[in-house]
Amino acid sequence: MIYSVSHVTQIRYDALVSHARYNLRLKPADWPGQRLIDYHLAIDPAPARIETEYGPYVVNVTRMVISEPVVELRIESRFRVEIGTVWPRLATEPTIAELRRLAIEESDISNVGPAPYLFASRIAPMVDDIARWAAPQLADDRNALDAALEMACRIRGEFDYDPEATEADTPVSTAFKRRHGVCQDFAHVMIVALRSAGLPAAYVSGYLRTIAPPGKEKLVGADATHAWVALWCGRDLGWRGFDPTNGCIAGEDHIFTAMGRDYADVTPIDGTFMGNDGQELEVAVDVIPEGTA
């Protein structure tokens, strides 16, 4: 399936801003089963300096500096991408215990190896309550992929999607106790659960194709960024995606942008500006399927 994706961010400052720096993580990084066809980034007003680099995780980072006074900034990211068929299951798949051993013994210490995603991170620390909650499903003799899918489905069933319940900086322990939140919260809960069993789990940011209700037209700009979890399943299987918000395997409707230890590593836009007042952020996302190649 080929998708056309538009991500427009409008930043309006309460007063004139003389200097601003932003990090943009909007261009999809290379990922198996996905091919970036083209990419365009437009920034108005044009930044005084802009540079792009890769890493430190599976992420493209564009750093920009605005050095002339502005009251409004518009960032538009557009790309077309082809998503391949979801990878099949194999006849022989690792158990929880086997996958834990494979991750420890793996010699690949790059950003696509398991090592960076085994341990607690700033936004996804170890939480005893989550570890105890997850332990029955993560017994050593269980098939790791079955257990991960069951965990995603369990989160989908036990947690309520509620955009008003949490903020971007709400601790994962708080979201877990409330049993309310958004895709970011659910992904962090699942990551903490998997890491508590010694499994390499990563945070994936991207987009999800949404379908309008029957009889309704799809609203322009109504889509949003999405988050799910990737589990390293050994060299033969590689990374597999699980979506706890929807209780499913990440498939052809999931468009990969970046992967890191948690949300902080792959935040679409962050930065600072010099000024005494606040800002208003407005985001509009469209994910349009174009059909098959």
Side-chain angles (χ1 to χ4, degrees):
M1 175 66 72
I2 295 177
Y3 293 99
S4 176
V5 179
S6 168
H7 183 144
V8 178
T9 304
Q10 197 85 24
I11 304 172
R12 298 180 180 88
Y13 303 101
D14 293 342
L16 201 65
V17 167
S18 60
H19 188 86
R21 293 175 177 267
Y22 286 99
N23 303 308
L24 314 179
R25 302 174 186 88
L26 298 168
K27 181 180 180 180
D30 292 336
W31 193 248
Q34 179 171 303
R35 181 176 68 91
L36 184 63
I37 299 171
D38 55 50
Y39 180 80
H40 303 282
L41 177 66
I43 302 169
D44 184 25
R49 188 167 74 251
I50 187 168
E51 57 186 27
T52 300
E53 61 185 47
Y54 176 74
Y57 301 97
V58 187
V59 57
N60 289 312
V61 184
T62 299
R63 306 189 191 281
M64 53 173 280
V65 175
I66 301 293
S67 59
E68 295 184 3
V70 297
V71 293
E72 190 169 320
L73 180 63
R74 186 178 190 274
I75 302 168
E76 180 179 12
S77 168
R78 289 185 179 273
F79 64 87
R80 295 172 68 240
V81 64
E82 181 179 9
I83 309 295
T85 304
V86 178
W87 290 1
R89 301 286 296 267
L90 300 182
T92 302
E93 296 175 341
T95 63
I96 297 286
E98 290 169 343
L99 186 54
R100 184 189 304 120
R101 176 182 57 80
L102 289 172
I104 293 173
E105 295 176 352
E106 176 58 48
S107 60
D108 181 3
I109 58 172
S110 72
N111 58 11
V112 293
Y117 313 98
L118 275 169
F119 307 104
S121 54
R122 181 162 60 91
I123 299 182
M126 289 295 104
V127 179
D128 290 342
D129 287 347
I130 296 178
R132 284 191 291 269
W133 170 81
Q137 284 182 267
L138 301 176
D140 283 357
D141 61 348
R142 293 210 60 195
N143 177 293
L145 277 77
D146 288 343
L149 179 56
E150 187 177 303
M151 179 66 64
C153 292
R154 185 179 177 190
I155 292 172
R156 172 68 177 86
E158 294 185 14
F159 291 69
D160 291 327
Y161 188 90
D162 182 359
E164 304 300 322
T166 57
E167 302 290 342
D169 59 354
T170 299
V172 62
S173 57
T174 301
F176 177 74
K177 289 177 182 177
R178 292 175 179 171
R179 295 297 201 274
H180 284 68
V182 294
C183 59
Q184 173 184 320
D185 303 302
F186 305 152
H188 284 145
V189 169
M190 185 168 175
I191 287 169
V192 172
L194 293 172
R195 289 180 186 167
S196 72
L199 304 182
Y203 184 102
V204 178
S205 71
Y207 302 92
L208 178 66
R209 174 190 180 185
T210 58
I211 300 174
K216 301 287 186 179
E217 288 189 5
K218 186 172 179 294
L219 298 177
V220 175
D223 294 326
T225 56
H226 192 49
W228 59 96
V229 176
L231 173 68
W232 185 81
C233 299
R235 285 194 175 188
D236 293 338
L237 287 162
W239 290 93
R240 297 299 175 97
F242 300 89
D243 184 346
T245 302
N246 295 290
C248 66
I249 294 173
E252 287 189 344
D253 291 338
H254 293 74
I255 301 167
F256 178 99
T257 301
M259 183 177 83
R261 298 165 303 171
D262 55 37
Y263 174 72
D265 292 333
V266 296
T267 308
I269 298 178
D270 62 19
T272 60
F273 66 90
M274 295 180 63
N276 296 322
D277 295 293
Q279 65 178 2
E280 179 183 347
L281 193 72
E282 183 179 322
V283 179
V285 175
D286 282 305
V287 178
I288 309 296
E290 295 184 1
T292 57

